[in-house]
């Protein structure tokens, strides 16, 4: 992995609702995911995030695991309903105190914190007042950002405003498979705009609080036609607009793609200087990558009227996602060349497999290990081609609550035995530690080498 720069950041990632548990402790009030988990049939096995990995109580143990892995950085999210239980207004000091302790613990361990403000856990109180389709929610995000920054900006310099707004808008408000479980295209389009407006307003609030680096995180996918039929080619263009361009274009000053406004049949509710607020330059950009989309025309479906199809002879993870490392290289190169991102992090990349615990307690997750190596190789190819790649964060540090899939899908470098909460580093975690150590050794040896 010597293609990565000397200051390359090696990290792991999690999110609050997926690992923290303690959903009713120390002043936290419900989020939309607490509510959604109570909808019959919404979550596999009827699972909830009530306990999850109990990280709220076990964070020192989890930092110790990170130290064993040797990571430079930890990307985590802050639970909005812990900080502002009603979404706005009264601040819950106990919630801020928790992240104070976490950040101090990370810094004491020599681990750099990367904080995400919003990873899908909207306070239910805000949903009751309209949720993301309501413009006020964007301003509420900015209020929340200012409160968090006032407490943490002296020690946390690296921030992301939103994680995967596609999932919040399209899956939460269009497909209904994620919280809040709405199926309405008009609400989804309004939500998409207010999420991006919230990003811009929150970024401004963070910058007003101190010297920080701020960006947004998008989940992107290469979109390819299943055949050379013109209808499939057009479907792939729509899928690219829905998944990629609808988010990348306004963030980079291009406004919303006109072809997709035509597809949706409803424009986003842009007012005044919204587009300038959204397009304020980012210091860094987060790219989450899991799979490509090979699609066929689906006029009877929902927007964007493109349906993913299976790729013959491809390998698939336990999520039924195709393993396609070349897609990561393609996206890193595209965002560098087409959108001129100043610095990009792979903020999530990982895979779920049916892990087996051996009698001696070991987890030889060879599929995940191979996935990790192949995607790091793809990232290295992109770096060689000029992508300004600053770091890589594995999804995920821990097996965790995987949203609508409950606890059945395991992404962690570290196995969690949920009944006992025992953590065990898998073979992939040990391999990641070796890769990090080898990179550091190469950097050190290069620094000591005489100049020819």
């Amino acid at each position: 992995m010597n293609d990565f720069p000397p200051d390359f950041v090696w990290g792991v990632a999690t999110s609050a609702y997926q690992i923290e548990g303690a959903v009713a402790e120390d002043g936290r009030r419900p989020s939309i995911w607490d509510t959604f988990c109570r909808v019959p049939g919404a979550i596999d096995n009827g699972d909830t995030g009530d306990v999850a990995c109990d990280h709220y109580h076990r964070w020192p143990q989890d930092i110790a695991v990170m130290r064993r892995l040797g990571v430079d950085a930890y990307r985590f999210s802050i639970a909005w309903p812990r900080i502002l239980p009603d979404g706005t207004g009264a601040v819950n000091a106990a919630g801020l105190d928790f992240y104070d302790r976490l950040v101090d613990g990370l810094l004491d361990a020599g681990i750099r914190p990367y904080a995400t403000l919003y990873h899908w856990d909207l306070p239910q109180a805000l949903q009751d007042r309209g949720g993301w389709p309501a413009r006020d929610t964007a301003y509420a995000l900015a209020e929340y950002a200012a409160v968090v920054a006032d407490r943490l900006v002296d020690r946390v310099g690296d921030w992301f405003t939103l994680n995967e707004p596609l999932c919040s808008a399209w899956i939460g408000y269009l497909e209904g498979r994620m919280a809040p479980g709405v199926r309405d295209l008009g609400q989804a389009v309004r939500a998409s705009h207010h999420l991006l407006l919230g990003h811009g307003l929150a970024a401004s609030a963070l910058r007003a609080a101190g010297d920080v680096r701020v960006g947004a995180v998008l989940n992107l996918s290469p979109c390819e036609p299943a055949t050379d039929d013109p209808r499939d080619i057009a479907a792939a263009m729509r899928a690219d607009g829905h998944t990629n361009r609808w988010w990348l274009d306004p963030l980079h000053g291009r406004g919303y793609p006109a072809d997709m406004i035509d597809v949706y049949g409803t424009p986003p509710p842009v007012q005044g200087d919204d587009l300038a607020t959204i397009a304020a330059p980012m210091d860094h950009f987060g790219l989450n990558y899991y799979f490509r989309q090979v699609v066929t025309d689906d006029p009877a479906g929902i927007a964007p009227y493109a349906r993913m199809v299976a790729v013959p002879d491809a390998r698939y993870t336990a999520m039924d996602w195709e393993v396609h490392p070349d897609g990561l290289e393609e996206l890193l190169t595209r965002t560098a060349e087409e959108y001129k991102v100043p610095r990009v992090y792979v903020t999530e990349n990982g895979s779920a497999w049916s892990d087996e615990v051996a009698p001696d307690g070991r987890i030889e997750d060879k599929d995940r290990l191979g996935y990790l190596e192949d995607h790091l190789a793809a990232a290295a190819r992109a770096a060689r081609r000029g992508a300004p790649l600053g770091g890589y964060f594995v999804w995920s540090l821990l097996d965790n609550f995987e949203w609508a899939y409950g606890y059945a899908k395991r992404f962690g470098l570290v196995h969690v035995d949920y009944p006992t909460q025992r953590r065990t580093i898998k073979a992939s975690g040990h391999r990641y530690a070796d890769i990090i150590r080898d990179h550091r050794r190469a950097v050190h040896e290069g620094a000591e080498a005489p100049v020819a």
Side-chain angles (χ1 to χ4, degrees):
M1 300 299 168
N2 295 340
D3 295 295
F4 298 126
D7 62 348
F8 192 76
V9 176
W10 298 96
V12 288
T14 66
S15 86
Y17 189 73
Q18 291 180 272
I19 67 167
E20 284 182 0
V23 297
E25 292 188 35
D26 294 337
R28 182 191 182 277
R29 293 191 64 194
S31 74
I32 55 174
W33 274 95
D34 296 283
T35 302
F36 194 60
C37 285
R38 267 64 189 179
V39 176
I43 311 296
D44 289 354
N45 305 312
D47 291 336
T48 75
D50 290 0
V51 177
C53 304
D54 196 32
H55 176 75
Y56 189 79
H57 302 110
R58 298 172 187 266
W59 61 268
Q61 176 184 353
D62 293 334
I63 290 177
V65 171
M66 287 184 246
R67 290 193 65 181
R68 289 182 61 192
L69 294 175
V71 298
D72 301 310
Y74 176 46
R75 177 179 169 246
F76 62 96
S77 77
I78 296 166
W80 191 343
R82 286 200 194 282
I83 309 304
L84 296 171
D86 293 319
T88 57
V91 176
N92 178 36
L96 288 169
D97 291 345
F98 169 69
Y99 295 104
D100 250 342
R101 296 190 297 271
L102 176 63
V103 167
D104 286 346
L106 290 166
L107 293 173
D108 288 345
I111 298 169
R112 181 172 161 185
Y114 281 68
T116 301
L117 283 173
Y118 183 67
H119 198 131
W120 308 354
D121 49 353
L122 186 72
Q124 181 61 41
L126 283 179
Q127 180 62 29
D128 294 341
R129 301 201 293 271
W132 285 111
R135 186 177 177 89
D136 284 350
T137 305
Y139 292 94
L141 180 68
E143 178 182 336
Y144 159 59
V147 169
V148 173
D150 184 63
R151 178 66 74 95
L152 298 180
V153 80
D154 61 324
R155 284 154 293 152
V156 180
D158 299 286
W159 294 84
F160 294 103
T161 54
L162 303 174
N163 180 78
E164 299 183 352
L166 176 154
C167 295
S168 297
W170 296 158
I171 307 181
Y173 285 94
L174 174 59
E175 300 176 25
R177 295 186 292 112
M178 287 186 167
V182 175
R183 293 179 173 87
D184 183 284
L185 178 57
Q187 288 196 54
V189 171
R190 292 194 296 276
S192 71
H193 176 64
H194 295 143
L195 281 154
L196 289 174
L197 177 61
H199 152 76
L201 295 169
S204 179
L206 287 166
R207 290 187 173 116
D211 183 15
V212 296
R213 295 163 293 278
V214 185
V217 173
L218 302 182
N219 54 318
L220 305 178
S221 292
C223 298
E224 303 173 13
T227 72
D228 59 5
D229 186 310
R231 291 170 295 185
D232 287 351
I233 293 171
M237 180 63 73
R238 293 193 301 273
D240 180 72
H242 190 70
T243 303
N244 303 320
R245 291 182 288 116
W246 188 259
W247 311 99
L248 285 166
D249 283 11
L251 283 169
H252 294 91
R254 301 181 182 187
Y256 290 98
D259 63 322
M260 296 311 297
I261 295 176
D262 290 342
V263 168
Y264 301 141
T266 182
V270 176
Q271 298 182 20
D273 295 331
D274 285 5
L275 293 179
T277 299
I278 292 168
M282 293 184 284
D283 303 294
H284 53 222
F285 169 67
L287 193 162
N288 293 356
Y289 175 67
Y290 291 100
F291 54 85
R292 69 171 167 173
Q293 298 181 30
V294 178
V295 302
T296 189
D297 184 40
D298 186 19
I302 62 172
Y305 313 107
R307 176 172 49 84
M308 286 180 63
V309 298
V311 178
D313 303 319
R315 293 183 65 234
Y316 285 82
T317 70
M319 297 286 288
D320 203 27
W321 294 345
E322 182 197 7
V323 179
H324 186 67
D326 290 349
L328 179 57
E329 177 185 1
E330 177 182 338
L331 291 168
L332 287 168
T333 304
R334 177 182 178 182
T335 53
E337 294 178 352
E338 189 173 341
Y339 293 95
K340 311 300 181 187
V341 295
R343 184 175 179 87
V344 59
Y345 293 98
V346 177
T347 36
E348 289 182 27
N349 179 235
S351 56
W353 303 93
S354 299
D355 297 337
E356 294 184 6
V357 181
D360 63 1
R362 292 184 300 172
I363 300 100
E364 297 293 339
D365 57 334
K366 294 180 180 179
D367 288 321
R368 184 175 294 103
L369 191 157
Y371 181 104
L372 173 66
E373 292 179 335
D374 291 345
H375 283 76
L376 281 170
R381 292 194 299 270
R384 287 197 298 271
R385 293 173 60 185
L389 185 58
Y392 177 92
F393 292 77
V394 176
W395 186 269
S396 178
L397 170 65
L398 303 170
D399 292 336
N400 56 52
F401 176 78
E402 188 50 45
W403 306 112
Y405 299 92
Y407 295 101
K409 310 300 184 186
R410 293 179 176 267
F411 278 84
L413 296 177
V414 178
H415 180 272
V416 177
D417 179 68
Y418 294 113
T420 66
Q421 292 293 342
R422 180 180 179 185
R423 275 73 159 144
T424 304
I425 298 175
K426 305 175 189 178
S428 59
H430 291 297
R431 175 63 181 135
Y432 192 46
D434 289 342
I435 291 169
I436 295 169
R437 187 162 47 248
D438 289 347
H439 179 258
R440 288 183 181 142
R441 183 181 300 116
V443 169
H444 178 72
E445 291 174 353
E448 291 189 341
V451 177

